[in-house]
Amino acid sequence: MAKRKHAEDDLENSAAGDDSEEEFSGLEESSSEGSEDDYDEIRVEFEWFDPQKQDFEGFQMLLRQLLGTDASFFHLGAIADLILEQKLLGSTVKTDGNEGDPHALLTVLNLKQHRNRPVMKSLVDYLLDRASTSSSLSPLLSLLPANSNNEVGLILSERWVNIATEVVPPMYEMLLEEIEWAVNDKEPYTFTHYLIWSKIYHAVPSTLDETTNRPMKKMKPGSKKDVNDGQSMYYFHPEDEVLHHYAMFHGTFDYKTPVPEGDSRNAFQDFGVTPRGHLILMEAAALKSAVVALKTEFPFSPTTAGVTMDESWSSNP
């Protein structure tokens, strides 16, 4: 059954094409005719569910997107299994009922509890390796080792392109409730810190413009300066900008696997894209305040993202 909430969202979309991946993830594409501000609209009903075994393949796809070009370093099926073992922890968002594909995922994994599992060891070793290459992430070198007294929860949050950011605050709110219930049941989710695994991208001029002599369009507003290298930084997950205000630190890292060149993979609004990994660490108590801020910044209401909700939902699983 649906986990807690239903939402009908007026999202902007172009007419459906033949590309199945585009149909699955592109819920906010501009129309091919008229100005770039012209859109067609569809109505989508969002439903929240607990992670379930039929989500296994969908989780691997979302994890592959989240982990970028380094996804091949990890056993994605084993990570999906860990998520599914936590039957009442974490949420998915679907539009086609319980048996549909997950369009969004948010969950937390206990790094210390699962440290002896090969897949968790590979995740921790990777994070330590990437932290050693970034001065802004260097504090992780003392937080993540096995002999550390810290209890770090690794938050994995991903959704398909153009799924509204407004689905995220309810997922975080549910997660905090579920962690509280789990702690009351003496389960190992008493975290001292949360580490949020995310991603950003830098925009670089597209070679497509050079070969076609087309004028280059401007990126949409909202860029931020990456303190590590001074390049303009754009968020795949807009909620990260809010989370930064509550973080102990945050920083980006380069993927080990080079990003393939060429506009077939990197073009985005007539720009090339250089994606990078992004990590946000905050104390456990700060996440509660951050979730309140997320609800304020990305609220559900008829006037924001066209979302309507039934407020009579029950928060108990």
Side-chain angles (χ1 to χ4, degrees), residues 288-304:
K288 294 182 180 180
S289 299
V291 171
V292 172
L294 287 176
K295 292 169 63 178
T296 301
E297 184 70 20
F298 305 106
F300 278 103
S301 78
T303 59
T304 56

Side-chain angles (χ1 to χ4, degrees), residues 205-222:
S206 167
T207 58
L208 188 62
D209 293 303
E210 298 175 2
T211 58
T212 60
N213 294 319
R214 295 187 305 165
M216 190 164 55
K217 296 179 183 178
K218 293 182 178 180
M219 292 292 288
K220 288 184 178 180

Side-chain angles (χ1 to χ4, degrees), residues 47-60:
E47 297 178 274
W48 280 254
F49 295 90
D50 294 314
Q52 299 171 73
K53 61 181 181 180
Q54 64 266 28
D55 300 329
F56 181 78
E57 295 294 336
F59 285 173
Q60 290 188 81

Side-chain angles (χ1 to χ4, degrees), residues 138-212:
S138 60
L140 289 177
L141 298 175
S142 61
L143 283 168
L144 297 184
N147 59 359
S148 170
N149 293 324
N150 296 290
E151 296 283 347
V152 180
L154 178 64
I155 292 179
L156 301 175
S157 175
E158 185 59 298
R159 57 189 181 273
W160 290 117
V161 177
N162 293 329
I163 290 292
T165 307
E166 284 79 8
V167 306
V168 173
M171 299 179 82
Y172 268 107
E173 188 174 26
M174 293 173 199
L175 184 67
L176 288 178
E177 291 176 346
E178 291 159 349
I179 291 173
E180 181 179 352
W181 298 332
V183 170
N184 290 339
D185 290 338
K186 310 301 182 183
E187 295 184 29
Y189 297 106
T190 305
F191 297 116
T192 59
H193 301 81
Y194 291 105
L195 180 62
I196 301 168
W197 196 321
S198 188
K199 56 187 181 176
I200 57 91
Y201 64 93
H202 300 300
V204 296
S206 167
T207 58
L208 188 62
D209 293 303
E210 298 175 2
T211 58
T212 60

Side-chain angles (χ1 to χ4, degrees), residues 81-269:
D81 282 335
L82 278 178
I83 295 171
L84 291 170
E85 286 177 15
Q86 303 175 155
K87 298 184 184 299
L88 295 179
L89 195 65
S91 298
T92 64
V93 172
K94 301 181 181 181
T95 59
D96 300 312
N98 189 31
E99 298 300 319
D101 294 318
H103 293 269
L105 164 70
L106 190 145
T107 192
V108 63
L109 299 175
N110 188 322
L111 292 182
K112 183 168 288 189
Q113 178 194 10
H114 301 300
R115 183 174 291 275
N116 291 331
R117 297 201 182 192
V119 68
M120 186 57 73
K121 185 178 185 304
S122 69
L123 286 168
V124 173
D125 287 348
Y126 177 88
L127 290 169
L128 288 171
D129 176 78
R130 294 296 86 192
S132 69
T133 67
S134 170
S135 59
S136 59
L137 296 176
S138 60
L140 289 177
L141 298 175
S142 61
L143 283 168
L144 297 184
N147 59 359
S148 170
N149 293 324
N150 296 290
E151 296 283 347
V152 180
L154 178 64
I155 292 179
L156 301 175
S157 175
E158 185 59 298
R159 57 189 181 273
W160 290 117
V161 177
N162 293 329
I163 290 292
T165 307
E166 284 79 8
V167 306
V168 173
M171 299 179 82
Y172 268 107
E173 188 174 26
M174 293 173 199
L175 184 67
L176 288 178
E177 291 176 346
E178 291 159 349
I179 291 173
E180 181 179 352
W181 298 332
V183 170
N184 290 339
D185 290 338
K186 310 301 182 183
E187 295 184 29
Y189 297 106
T190 305
F191 297 116
T192 59
H193 301 81
Y194 291 105
L195 180 62
I196 301 168
W197 196 321
S198 188
K199 56 187 181 176
I200 57 91
Y201 64 93
H202 300 300
V204 296
S206 167
T207 58
L208 188 62
D209 293 303
E210 298 175 2
T211 58
T212 60
N213 294 319
R214 295 187 305 165
M216 190 164 55
K217 296 179 183 178
K218 293 182 178 180
M219 292 292 288
K220 288 184 178 180
S223 66
K224 298 295 174 182
K225 292 296 182 182
D226 184 342
V227 296
N228 291 325
D229 55 21
Q231 288 181 286
S232 293
M233 185 174 79
Y234 299 84
Y235 297 99
F236 283 110
H237 298 162
E239 65 271 18
D240 288 354
E241 186 176 0
V242 176
L243 296 173
H244 286 174
H245 294 293
Y246 300 87
M248 295 176 62
F249 60 85
H250 57 85
T252 63
F253 60 88
D254 291 322
Y255 293 122
K256 291 183 176 182
T257 305
V259 177
E261 296 182 357
D263 288 87
S264 62
R265 285 291 301 272
N266 294 343
F268 181 76
Q269 291 187 343

